[in-house]
Amino acid sequence: MTGMLGAAYPWVKAAHIIFVIFWMAGMFILPRYLVHHQEGLAIPGEPERWIAREDKLRRMILTPAMILVWLLGLLLAANLGLFEGGEGLGWLHAKLVLVLALSGYHGWAVGYARKLRTGRANLSARTLRMVNEVPALAAVLIVVLAVVRPF
Ligand code: HEM
């Protein structure tokens, strides 16, 4: 129902943005960890340290923040009438496509960390550094869509 959040609306939106910050902080740092982890595969003691850091980041920040961003974001979308075919929500459809892609990237990065854990690295250091830029690019596009709402 449109406007269903009532007085809770600004609080839900604030919480959405707070957990977006936590999720994005984790999304910026995990790919960087992957570069260091991969470069340290042959150094005794290094892989264990990166595995522990990656596990902690995933358990304490990445997974909980992503779940909360999705839950709060879907509540806000329902509040705007997305599920009742509300008008003028082209920006939100585009944003949802991008956040789905970002969630896929999240899954890929966690999967690559698992691969490194078994000593397998199938991306070159250069490619890994390039894919590091994906979350920044996604964040720019998502924030522009959410704030400017160009369509
Ligand atoms: C994961 C799924 C997500 C969903 C379903 C979602 C949905 C929404 C909705 C419906 C609003 C509009 C609230 C309103 O004005 O009433 C909103 C606001 C916002 N979202 Fe998201 N969002 C998601 C993820 C993200 C991500 C990943 C970012 C940033 C990287 C982000 C940044 C923002 C910002 C900055 C606003 C405030 C816009 C404003 O009020 O001017 N969101 N979100």
Side-chain angles (χ1 to χ4, degrees), residues 9 13 16 20 69-70 73-74 76-77 95-96 99 142 146 149:
Y9 166 69
K13 186 144 118 177
H16 176 64
V20 160
V69 167
W70 267 105
L74 288 174
L76 290 168
K95 182 182 163 174
L96 284 172
V99 289
I142 292 169
R149 301 184 180 185

Side-chain angles (χ1 to χ4, degrees), residues 24 28 98 134-146:
M24 294 316 298
F28 290 143
L98 288 173
V134 169
L137 181 65
V140 169
L141 297 173
I142 292 169
V143 170
V144 168
L145 282 170

